[in-house]
Amino acid sequence: MLQDRLNAFSLSQDLGGVAFATINGTDVYDNLIAGKNIGNPAGNLFRLACEETMTSGGSSTLNLQLVTSAASTLTTPTVLWETGALAYNHADHLTLGEEFEMWMPPRTDYLQYTGVLFVVGTANLTAGIFSAKLVLNTEQHPIHASGMNFSGL
């Protein structure tokens, strides 16, 4: 799959061994200016992919947060969306090969930087690798001249 690294929040981020911590994604998206609405109807998607199923030595929880901040280190962030604390063995948690996507929230309070935070609580994770990115200006199920459908990318 082709990826635009400038739109990545987190690429193959390994959360194995993380306990009771808030971990920044490996990268942030620079909105260039504060107050720019990068949410729907701009056609931008947030996509999260699980590259290794989460496991825990105890009863760990993971709360994935999509945030915006004035600082590239995502300090004092505004939470745009979050999963809430999901147990690693919860029926709705992502497993290897699964993806989740949603439209970016339509807001006018995006600050200069947008990114993800992984909040691990209760116990340590022993495995779990995730990638998250911003997919800009998507079309809904486009069919290209070659007949290949790239809507699943």
Side-chain angles (χ1 to χ4, degrees), residues 79-145:
V79 177
L80 303 168
W81 174 86
E82 63 184 322
T83 61
L86 295 177
Y88 83 96
N89 59 354
H90 189 271
D92 293 333
H93 85 279
L94 290 173
T95 57
L96 176 64
E98 290 185 325
E99 289 188 352
F100 167 81
E101 65 181 29
M102 68 173 205
W103 293 110
M104 290 292 289
R107 300 171 66 137
T108 57
D109 61 344
Y110 280 92
L111 299 172
Q112 184 169 352
Y113 300 97
T114 303
V116 294
L117 298 176
F118 298 94
V119 183
V120 178
T122 311
N124 68 312
L125 287 175
T126 54
I129 297 177
F130 297 91
S131 288
K133 64 182 176 176
L134 176 65
V135 183
L136 298 174
N137 304 316
T138 61
E139 295 179 38
Q140 288 296 301
H141 309 291
I143 302 297
H144 299 273

Side-chain angles (χ1 to χ4, degrees), residues 139 141-151:
E139 295 179 38
H141 309 291
I143 302 297
H144 299 273
S146 68
M148 295 183 69
N149 186 337
F150 291 92
S151 63

Side-chain angles (χ1 to χ4, degrees), residues 6-27:
L6 295 177
N7 299 338
F9 298 135
S10 178
L11 292 176
S12 299
Q13 187 149 4
D14 188 353
L15 299 179
V18 174
F20 307 106
T22 298
I23 307 297
N24 285 25
T26 56
D27 214 338

